Amino acid sequence: MIYRFRVILDDQEDVFRDIEIKASATAEDFNNAIIQAFGFDGGEMASFYISDEEWNQGEEIALFDMNEGESDVRIMAEASLDDIVSEKNRNLIYVYDFFSMWTFLIELAEIAEPQEGISYPNLMFAHGVLPDSPPDKVFEAEEEDNNGFDDFNDFDDLDDHSFDNYDDLWN
């Protein structure tokens, strides 16, 4: 089976790539196909996140395990695409370069039979030019009102403690 994906840069401009890849390929193979399709150098960390229809970020599938055994993280090289996506679970979020936060929305568009004479992965279609820098992101925490504190003046009604001595913190 062949999966046909649309990989869309999370931006207001239309920048996307249509990539087809074997369903049995690993997430690492798909990561490499995306890197090539968008012209990245491939030297940065990346992760896929399983997503629902509303693009809520779910389980992470990382390029490398950076948790040093603290938690179980799925690794791209060990996860096949047919274990990650299906007709029911069609969406992924892909983040490349965690310092720049290039973020892509990926949707499984079609499941097809392989065609003779085509090598996979295959870049089927490219639309738009990748900007020089990733689009600005507004994260949900930035939109909130600081957990109810409009500014630091809300701390004025706290008891007047002198914090010259750390013991005063516990009194």
Side-chain angles (χ1 to χ4, degrees), residues 11-74:
D11 190 15
Q12 305 227 343
E13 299 294 320
D14 288 337
V15 178
F16 64 88
R17 306 292 185 261
D18 291 342
I19 299 171
E20 55 185 3
I21 189 168
K22 292 179 180 178
S24 60
T26 66
E28 185 174 23
D29 295 331
F30 191 32
N31 170 66
N32 294 336
I34 293 169
I35 287 169
Q36 286 184 324
F38 284 95
F40 291 121
D41 66 11
E44 302 297 333
M45 184 64 180
S47 285
F48 289 101
Y49 297 90
I50 296 174
S51 176
D52 61 16
E53 296 284 324
E54 286 81 39
W55 299 104
N56 294 308
Q57 182 176 310
E59 178 188 7
E60 179 181 16
I61 299 130
L63 185 57
F64 301 107
D65 184 0
M66 302 292 286
N67 290 327
E68 298 178 5
E70 292 177 19
S71 65
D72 292 332
V73 175
R74 290 174 73 182

Side-chain angles (χ1 to χ4, degrees), residues 88-124:
K88 290 179 82 173
N89 300 315
R90 305 177 79 82
N91 296 341
L92 296 170
I93 298 169
Y94 175 73
V95 178
Y96 176 79
D97 185 353
F98 287 98
F99 291 113
S100 298
M101 294 297 290
W102 288 98
T103 305
F104 298 85
L105 307 176
I106 301 173
E107 185 172 8
L108 176 62
E110 183 179 8
I111 299 174
E113 292 297 323
Q115 295 180 344
E116 197 171 309
I118 294 181
S119 61
Y120 299 98
N122 177 40
L123 176 61
M124 296 172 47

